[in-house]
């Protein structure tokens, strides 16, 4: 039986990690060395990118160019980047590809595992110079050098620190990229540490229009999208599965096709905290019979559940992909949830 760890235990982890700082900076020094010795760098983020993935790619590309490097950003998928994420400066230059050009170094950001780099996974596995920068606790450290800080709210939080070591000044463009990651990976600053607010303050001081950024990344919806959301939300189901209350939404292909991915992704925010539910779930049919599933919770570790289903993520937000008919995929999740005990 899988025992879930309560979110409160993160506080303890945080304290334990303070002793890690020296080691982090040791890794930063090594990172500086590998970056210094590279002239051409490829920067790769994860499949189905979110704002932390895009903001991390664009921030690293921007910083490397300041340092006089030839840097380009890549994602290993053919599917276009969602329009709202293209507002992040430099995002429109990210190349969607299955091949990398010859480079001296590959920097992989915000990817918890190699397979999340999609079509670029083989190229990355074969490279002898890869620097992985990430905040997924489950990251096995698949780079030749790894900076993995599970206590960081977003990958961009780690980057803000790294750029200090590298002597890259914080301008408004860089701040915009970093802010995009920290804003969205903290559920709009709902969870995180005091450092998160200190960083946000520092970023805002460059003159960022944070209201506009939030509108672009999170709040903008068309009337058509609102109707789609209403239709999905009206089908919300609350069920007791084993010891867990589960609120779930089915966003099937017929309902979501042609709608903005920002609107579809925002559905998860509505089921994160529902009365009598411990977990919120959104099943999103991304292509016929293929589903991306989002898991959310305010008090139990959903990354453990996602991992059991071949995915991953963080304590409050995780996901996995699966395929099949609606009934089958719901049953598959219920099967896993049935075995989980809610340790209070
Ligand atoms: P999402 O529900 O798509 O917003 O994803 C929430 C978090 O779960 C992401 O930040 C990722 O860390 C993780 N995640 C989502 N889908 C997957 C997947 N298929 N494999 C591994 N991790 C995932
Ligand atoms: Mn991400
Ligand atoms: Mn992230």
């Amino acid at each position: 039986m899988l025992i879930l760890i309560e979110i409160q235990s993160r506080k303890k982890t945080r304290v334990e990690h303070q002793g890690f700082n020296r080691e982090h900076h040791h890794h930063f020094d090594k990172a500086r060395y590998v970056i210094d010795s590279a002239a051409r760098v490829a920067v790769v983020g994860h499949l189905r990118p979110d704002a932390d993935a895009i903001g991390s790619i664009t921030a690293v590309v921007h910083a490397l160019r300041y340092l006089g490097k030839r840097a380009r950003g890549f994602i290993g998928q053919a599917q276009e980047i969602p329009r709202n994420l293209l507002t992040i400066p430099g995002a429109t230059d990210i190349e969607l590809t299955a091949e990398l050009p010859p480079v001296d170094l590959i920097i992989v950001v915000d990817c918890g595992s190699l397979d999340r780099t999609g079509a670029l996974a083989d190229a990355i596995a074969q490279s002898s110079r890869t620097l992985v920068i990430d905040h997924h606790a489950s990251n096995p450290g698949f780079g030749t050098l790894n900076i993995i800080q599970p206590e960081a709210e977003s990958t961009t939080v780690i980057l803000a620190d790294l750029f200090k070591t590298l002597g890259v000044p914080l301008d408004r463009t860089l701040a915009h990229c970093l802010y995009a990651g920290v804003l969205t990976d903290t559920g709009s600053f709902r969870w995180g540490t005091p450092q998160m607010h200190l960083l946000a303050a520092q970023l805002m001081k460059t003159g960022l229009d944070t209201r506009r950024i939030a509108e672009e990344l999170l709040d903008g919806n068309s009337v058509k999208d609102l109707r789609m959301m209403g239709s999905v939300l009206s089908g919300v189901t609350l069920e007791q599965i084993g010891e867990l209350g589960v609120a779930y939404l089915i966003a099937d292909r017929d309902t979501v096709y042609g709608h903005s991915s920002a609107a579809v992704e925002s559905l998860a925010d509505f089921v994160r905290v529902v009365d009598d539910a411990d977990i919120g779930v959104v099943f999103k049919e991304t292509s016929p019979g293929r589903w991306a599933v989002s898991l959310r919770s305010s008090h139990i570790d959903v990354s453990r559940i996602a991992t059991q289903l071949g995915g991953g993520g963080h304590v409050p937000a995780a996901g996995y992909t699966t395929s099949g008919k609606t009934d089958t995929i719901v049953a598959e999740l219920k099967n896993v949830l049935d075995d989980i005990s809610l340790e209070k």
Side-chain angles (χ1 to χ4, degrees), residues 82-84 220-222 224-226 228-229 256-267:
R83 269 185 37 215
N84 65 321
N221 275 317
S222 64
K224 184 170 147 261
D225 286 334
L226 287 177
M228 174 277 291
M229 291 163 72
V256 299
Y257 187 75
H259 289 275
S260 83
S261 7
V264 177
E265 296 310 316
S266 72
L267 290 166

Side-chain angles (χ1 to χ4, degrees), residues 45 61 65 80 89 103 110 113 137 139 147 160 181 187 189 221 228 247 257 308 311 342:
V61 167
R65 287 183 183 163
E80 295 288 322
V103 287
D110 199 42
S113 56
N139 195 311
I147 297 177
F189 304 107
N221 275 317
M228 174 277 291
Y257 187 75
Q308 281 201 56
L342 187 60

Side-chain angles (χ1 to χ4, degrees), residues 50 116 136 265 284 294 296 311-314 317-321:
D50 51 17
R116 296 277 285 157
H136 289 88
E265 296 310 316
K284 299 165 285 185
S294 293
R296 300 288 187 270
H314 308 284
Y320 64 95
T321 52

Side-chain angles (χ1 to χ4, degrees), residues 46-54 109-111 116 134-136 155 185 314:
H46 64 77
L47 287 180
R48 291 177 41 81
D50 51 17
D52 192 29
I54 299 291
V109 287
D110 199 42
C111 288
R116 296 277 285 157
D134 184 39
H135 67 131
H136 289 88
T155 298
D185 267 19
H314 308 284

